[in-house]
Amino acid sequence: MSEPHVLPFTTACAADANSQLHKGISTYRLLTGEHPANADIAIDSNLDRHALASILAAATMDGGCLSEKVGLSGVELAVLLEQHFLPTGIRAPEQAAPFKREEDEEIAKLRDLLLKHRSTEGDIGRWLAAMIARRAMEPDHLWEALGLRDRGELSLVMSRHFAPLAASNVNNMRWKRFFYRMLCEDEGLAMCTTPVCNQCNEFNICFGEESGESRMAERRRDLLLQAAAWPAVSSGRASETPGETAVASLSEKASAHL
């Protein structure tokens, strides 16, 4: 699958020159029409859409090839966008050669573990398995690498789409550590040197605090602080923060590709 199928989307998301971090907010708004802080995930379909949009937003913050950053082929990414988000100029081709790449073995094993424990049917669970596996390779906490607002949202996604796996995490271990423990057990390997977790000197690595402000929330807070220092715009409407101006500019640039 060649990159032209995702070029309009990546070009639009790259339009914001303020910062890499602000691309996340811009991308989420481009996809959903709202700021990520306002997302209502009370029902399953909203949770799914929020999770997918958050992962795409986080991936654009990293730069590089979007499909690679989210672990999907170009065709899969195009279908996902076409089916679940506002028009972005991307359409899945009617016919395409099979996507080929040198797949990372670690990503493949984690994806297969998630697929093995799927609790929903359809494409979303399959996409999420691939996306979570790929984003788990990033250095942040997993919920941050997925662009989610807090760890609780990741637990909701896990409980919905990978319920048997989520139910096995009875001690609320950090998700990355839990995944790798499960992979080791599947291969008959011992991940830990002590049989009881509370006797291990790495207890905090597995179960330590994983809260805090998400990267997009942090960026939003910084923009609001900047706005307080900006003079009011006497144009008959409320003054815009640098971030809001960039979002409007991004939307205008994106519309040219639709």
Side-chain angles (χ1 to χ4, degrees), residues 101-117:
R101 66 165 174 253
E102 293 295 326
E103 186 168 51
D104 185 280
E105 182 180 2
E106 191 173 351
I107 296 173
K109 286 183 176 180
L110 180 50
R111 181 198 61 214
D112 291 345
L113 173 70
L114 290 163
L115 289 173
K116 179 181 175 181
H117 293 89

Side-chain angles (χ1 to χ4, degrees), residues 1-2 5 75 91-99:
M1 177 65 187
S2 59
H5 292 290
V75 172
R91 294 292 182 271
E94 294 181 0
Q95 294 181 341
F99 183 72

Side-chain angles (χ1 to χ4, degrees), residues 137-178:
M137 302 300 109
E138 299 300 321
D140 302 316
H141 291 309
L142 184 54
W143 66 269
E144 292 182 300
L146 295 170
L148 299 172
R149 293 176 292 191
D150 53 54
R151 187 180 189 273
E153 290 189 341
L154 174 54
S155 295
L156 287 175
V157 171
M158 291 297 300
S159 295
R160 167 162 163 71
H161 289 283
F162 312 100
L165 201 57
S168 297
N169 191 6
V170 293
N171 294 317
N172 200 28
M173 180 180 284
R174 291 184 181 184
W175 284 111
K176 280 189 186 181
R177 300 288 293 185
F178 177 73

